[in-house]
């Protein structure tokens, strides 16, 4: 054993061996920094590449070589202090780098104005998210999931290698059930929660970094899905779809049981299909007429009203009449950029006529003078109410989601009973309507020139285009086929690659003899977003399971609240959307979760917020270009920075010592040696 150790020490006691290690380390770093294609071949991000075992091995061998050479070849004397300092500094620097690349994390967090966040999404790691019956949620981390190349089970040895991770196989969805308030409830598997006879497991058998899940709908008597076919008739027989440029009609399918295929925007209107019970028609009819609610006070008169756009309402015998003109689902407030629901009404009082806008859930009321020079389509905006006697408080109540947040109107198509299809039409500028299609067939006509309300229509020229006609047909037997469509290279970008938005995995579910294969798409901020995914029926139970892929959600070291967001334009420039900005400033409140201590801070371009003694930093990454309602902060830590800085200073100090102090020390030592030698030599006799 001693002979072996002696041989190893003799082998390690080589300066040339150390130089070889340093050259190999330099080549490794150069390749990792300059050749992202090589990193991608090995499925490594930059952090993964510099934390991989080859570099760790080379660093460890260099440290051993430095230690052996230093102890065996360099005596610990004053002239060699500089060399010792350099060698020790290199070792300290390597230790700091090892800590940095093994513990470094990066991610982002989106925070709404006036809201708080206590978690963020890791930039590199992904997880499989579960949802049971559209309620309970859980996630399973997938650290070994590939990132840069496509793989499928059975494709070959390389695919087998990169899909071999234990985290990709035998996944048992785990969720935290609801328990008593304040009680600690442990996570349990779905199999335990539902008392399933066999464990429910999931295996990841395919991965595509650049793909989308493409669906095709087939009218098949054996199909188990119920839906509605939409056939749009194009005026003049000219299509707008690149795939069918000369077609006179186009077909789309809406499937109520599939959240991702239940609705579609067509010609400025939102159309959604739902599957309802026998009482659906009555319930939806009542709900459609009770969406907008007003509480009115004027001259001792008080009344609560359910109102609809396009209708007028007399306020008793007061002489006041309110005509509801338009509903605006996403009005942006000028001061806070908050998006709110607004209702515009024409007010006729005994002495005046003006327009008033009220906001849902807010006391703010804005009046517009109608007959005024240089007034806009709504009139001249007033700083104070034109009629202080009239108070209108507005609230919305839309539990059935019958209004559209995108278009001018929404058609909710409800299938119920035998071949019955009912269209519930809720418009932003006209009263709700109910159209029954007893045989499952009907027609929707959308006037593109009248897609906006009276005052909105006055702001733009009417397009003059004819009505768009959409034919409806209820289909009781549909089959949905899913395929993977690869995103063309010219549509790819580094930003989309980092965000993983085109990641798709194939998941194989099994429970006893039951098997099911599904394609799972990526959802940004899956832990916070109400993501859409087709529910998977669990056999033998009334329950469903939904899956999506997303970034791994991790806890923030502090609770962060966005108090204010400011755009800072260049001097003399406007702070308008689309303008070039000099700075973006997020005013934050950072709360220590352990002590409760709160501190104010501002994150802006090139000026991050440092937290916990600089161990963490939060920096400005993105912002809401539409309304400044949210900001995205970059999140990162700085492990090993102090250690690496110490190593660099030691190397620098050792070099200064070797080049500047060592010659002085050597000269002094030579003078002392010569002086001592002269004193020892006897003086010759005269």
């Amino acid at each position: 054993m001693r002979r072996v150790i002696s041989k190893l020490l003799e082998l390690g006691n080589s300066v040339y061996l150390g130089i070889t290690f340093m050259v190999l380390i330099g080549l490794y770093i150069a390749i990792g920094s300059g050749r992202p294609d090589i990193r991608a071949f090995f499925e490594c991000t930059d952090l993964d590449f510099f934390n991989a075992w080859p570099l760790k091995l080379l660093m460890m061998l260099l440290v051993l070589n430095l230690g052996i050479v230093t102890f065996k070849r360099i005596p610990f004397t004053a002239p060699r202090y500089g060399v010792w300092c350099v060698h020790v500094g290199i070792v300290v620097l390597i230790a700091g780098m090892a800590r940095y690349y093994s513990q470094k994390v990066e991610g982002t967090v989106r925070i709404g104005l006036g809201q708080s966040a206590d978690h963020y999404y890791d930039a590199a790691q992904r997880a499989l998210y579960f949802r049971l019956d559209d309620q309970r949620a859980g996630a399973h981390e997938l650290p070994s999931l590939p990132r840069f190349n496509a793989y499928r089970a059975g494709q070959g040895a390389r695919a087998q290698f990169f899909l071999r991770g234990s985290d990709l196989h035998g996944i048992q969805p785990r969720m935290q059930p609801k328990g008593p308030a304040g009680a600690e409830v442990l996570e349990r598997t779905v199999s335990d929660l539902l008392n399933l006879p066999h464990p429910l497991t999931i295996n990841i058998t395919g991965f595509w970094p650049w793909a989308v899940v493409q669906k095709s709908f087939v009218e098949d008597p054996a199909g188990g899905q119920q839906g509605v076919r939409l056939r749009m008739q194009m005026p003049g027989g000219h299509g707008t779809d690149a795939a069918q440029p000369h077609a006179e009609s186009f077909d789309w399918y809406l499937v109520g049981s599939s959240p991702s295929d239940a609705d579609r925007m067509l010609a400025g209107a939102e159309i959604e299909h739902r599957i309802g019970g026998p009482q659906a028609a009555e319930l939806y009819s009542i709900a459609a007429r009770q969406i907008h609610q007003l509480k009115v006070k004027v001259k001792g008169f008080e009344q609560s009203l359910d109102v609809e756009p396009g209708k007028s309402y007399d306020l008793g015998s007061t002489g006041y009449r309110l005509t509801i003109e338009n509903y605006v689902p996403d009005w942006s407030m000028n001061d806070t950029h908050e998006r709110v629901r607004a209702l515009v009404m024409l007010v006729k009082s005994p002495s005046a006529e003006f327009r008033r806008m009220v906001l849902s859930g807010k006391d703010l009321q804005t009046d517009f003078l109608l007959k005024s020079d240089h007034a806009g389509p709504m009139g001249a905006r007033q700083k104070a109410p034109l009629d202080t006697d009239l108070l209108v408080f507005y609230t919305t109540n839309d539990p059935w989601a019958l209004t559209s947040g995108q278009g001018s109107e929404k058609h909710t198509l409800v299938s119920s009973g035998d071949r019955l299809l009912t269209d519930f039409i809720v418009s932003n500028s006209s009263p709700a309507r109910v159209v029954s299609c007893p045989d499952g067939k009907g027609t929707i006509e959308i006037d593109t020139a009248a897609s906006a309300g009276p005052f909105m229509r006055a702001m733009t020229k009417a397009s003059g285009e004819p009505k768009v006609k959409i034919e409806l047909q209820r289909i009781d037997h549909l089959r949905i086929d899913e395929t993977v469509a690869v995103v063309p290279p010219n549509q790819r970008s580094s930003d989309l690659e980092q965000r993983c938005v085109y990641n798709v995995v194939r998941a194989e579910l099994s429970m006893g003899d039951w098997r099911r294969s599904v394609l799972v798409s990526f959802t940004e901020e899956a832990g916070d977003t109400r993501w859409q995914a087709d529910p998977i029926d669990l056999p033998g139970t009334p329950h469903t399971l939904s899956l999506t892929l997303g970034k791994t959600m991790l806890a923030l070291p502090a609770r962060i609240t966005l108090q204010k967001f400011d755009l800072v334009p260049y001097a003399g420039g406007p702070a308008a959307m689309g303008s070039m900005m000099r700075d973006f400033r997020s005013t934050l409140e950072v709360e220590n979760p352990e002590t409760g201590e709160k501190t104010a801070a501002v994150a802006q371009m090139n000026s991050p917020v440092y937290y916990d003694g600089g161990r963490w930093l939060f920096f400005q990454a993105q912002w809401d270009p539409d309304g400044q309602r949210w900001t995205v902060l970059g999140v990162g830590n700085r492990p090993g920075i102090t250690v690496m800085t110490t190593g660099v200073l030691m190397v620098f100090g050792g070099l200064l010592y070797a080049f500047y102090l060592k010659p002085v020390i050597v000269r002094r030592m030579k003078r002392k040696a010569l002086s001592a030698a002269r004193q020892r030599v006897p003086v010759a006799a005269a």
Side-chain angles (χ1 to χ4, degrees), residues 109-113 115 336-337 525 562 565 586 620 622-633:
V109 54
R110 183 192 300 265
I111 311 176
L113 195 64
Q115 298 178 350
T336 64
H337 302 286
E525 300 175 351
L562 178 63
F565 181 83
S586 294
Q620 189 67 42
Q622 300 175 34
W623 61 286
D624 175 19
D626 296 326
Q628 304 171 47
R629 297 164 295 175
W630 47 261
T631 188
V632 174
L633 299 178

Side-chain angles (χ1 to χ4, degrees), residues 131-136 194 542-546:
R131 198 164 61 204
L132 183 64
D133 296 334
D134 201 30
Q135 293 179 353
R136 302 187 183 97
L194 304 182
H543 303 284
T544 61
L545 185 73
S546 301

